[in-house]
């Protein structure tokens, strides 16, 4: 059953996240302040974060004040191996989310991560690629108001809460829920890490473990 609570969450122990690898998928016009907030939140606990895009070309992102900022992705989705990551987040604008949803490499990447039970996060229009990927978990999602009808037509359960956790997927309807979103994402990563710890070996999981 989806968890749509808005109560504060504590960060998991650092040893449960240190050494993990998480991808953040970005596109043209992605809100870079949200990307940086999520990236910093993860890196503070030892997570390695890579920015991925549809191509290796530079991406023009946007600051909250409307100013553009050019970002160089670490890899293209076509070259990225889902087995190399322990989780993935999609942060996109309406235009960028629509473009990512049409990218077969994006859909394949997300579906592969989902099939292996790895945490998937989506903020605002980042939920559109998640909906288009046909995830096996069929999660309920917190979606922006303008995507509600699209979600309903696709048979996706939309949630009224600003942030929703359903199985291995956490979603935020907008950037105002980012703090809760980041906390929930870290909890999902830690829970999966706990499931993969072997007796006598409580160090960070190997990249792509269970996948």
């Amino acid at each position: 059953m989806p968890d749509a609570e808005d109560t504060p969450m504590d960060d998991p122990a650092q040893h449960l996240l240190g050494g993990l690898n998480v991808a953040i998928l970005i596109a043209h016009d992605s809100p870079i302040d949200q990307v940086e907030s999520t990236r910093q939140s993860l890196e503070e606990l030892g997570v390695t974060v890579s920015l991925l895009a549809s191509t290796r070309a530079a991406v023009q992102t946007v600051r909250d004040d409307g100013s553009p900022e050019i970002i160089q992705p670490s890899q293209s989705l076509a070259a990225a191996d889902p087995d190399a990551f322990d989780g993935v987040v999609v942060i996109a604008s309406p235009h960028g989310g629509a473009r990512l949803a049409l990218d077969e490499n994006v859909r394949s990447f997300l579906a592969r991560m989902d099939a292996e039970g790895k945490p998937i996060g989506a903020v605002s229009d980042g939920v559109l690629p998640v909906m288009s990927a046909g995830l096996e978990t069929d999660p309920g999602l917190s979606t922006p108001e303008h995507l509600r009808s699209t979600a309903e037509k696709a048979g996706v359960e939309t949630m009224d809460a600003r942030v929703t956790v359903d199985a291995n997927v956490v979603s935020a309807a907008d950037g105002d829920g980012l703090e809760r979103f980041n906390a929930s994402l870290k909890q999902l990563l830690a829970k999966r890490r706990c499931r993969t710890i072997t007796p006598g070996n409580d160090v960070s999981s190997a990249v792509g473990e269970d996948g």
Side-chain angles (χ1 to χ4, degrees):
M1 185 173 183
D3 171 14
E5 296 180 359
D6 290 320
T7 53
M9 302 175 70
D10 294 328
D11 280 345
Q14 185 166 357
H15 78 279
L16 291 175
L17 297 187
L20 297 183
N21 288 269
V22 171
I24 298 182
L25 309 190
I26 61 173
H28 180 71
D29 283 349
S30 282
I32 191 60
D33 294 280
Q34 294 179 18
V35 173
E36 289 178 344
S37 174
T38 297
R39 184 176 194 169
Q40 180 179 355
S41 178
L42 293 170
E43 290 181 338
E44 286 175 348
L45 293 181
V47 177
T48 297
V49 179
S50 299
L51 301 184
L52 307 184
S54 292
T55 70
R56 189 68 173 81
V59 175
Q60 181 175 293
T61 61
V62 180
R63 289 281 176 194
D64 286 344
D65 62 7
S67 60
E69 182 156 336
I70 302 299
I71 299 296
Q72 184 65 52
S74 307
Q75 283 183 292
S76 69
L77 266 298
D81 180 4
D83 286 346
F85 298 96
D86 298 286
V88 59
V89 179
V90 190
I91 300 178
S93 66
H95 178 66
R99 292 187 64 180
L100 290 175
L102 295 174
D103 190 325
E104 180 57 37
N105 290 319
V106 173
R107 295 197 298 265
S108 176
F109 190 96
L110 292 172
R112 177 79 169 274
M113 297 290 282
D114 181 60
E116 295 168 359
K118 296 178 180 179
I120 295 174
V123 180
S124 189
D125 286 80
V127 302
L128 191 56
V130 173
M131 287 191 288
S132 71
L135 304 188
E136 294 179 9
T137 48
D138 193 23
L141 298 171
S142 288
T143 62
E145 187 63 35
H146 64 271
L147 288 181
R148 285 294 181 96
S149 61
T150 300
E152 290 168 1
K153 290 177 182 177
V156 175
E157 181 182 8
T158 59
M159 310 301 295
D160 291 330
R162 179 161 282 155
V163 176
T164 296
V165 178
D166 193 357
N168 60 313
V169 180
V170 55
S171 55
D174 52 52
D176 290 340
L178 198 61
E179 183 176 356
R180 168 74 184 187
F181 170 87
N182 289 336
S184 299
L185 175 65
K186 288 182 283 190
Q187 291 291 337
L188 285 179
L189 288 165
K191 287 178 181 178
R192 184 174 185 276
R193 174 66 192 110
C194 287
R195 291 196 298 269
T196 64
I197 290 176
T198 56
N201 180 27
D202 61 348
V203 295
S204 303
S205 78
V207 173
E209 188 172 347
D210 276 4

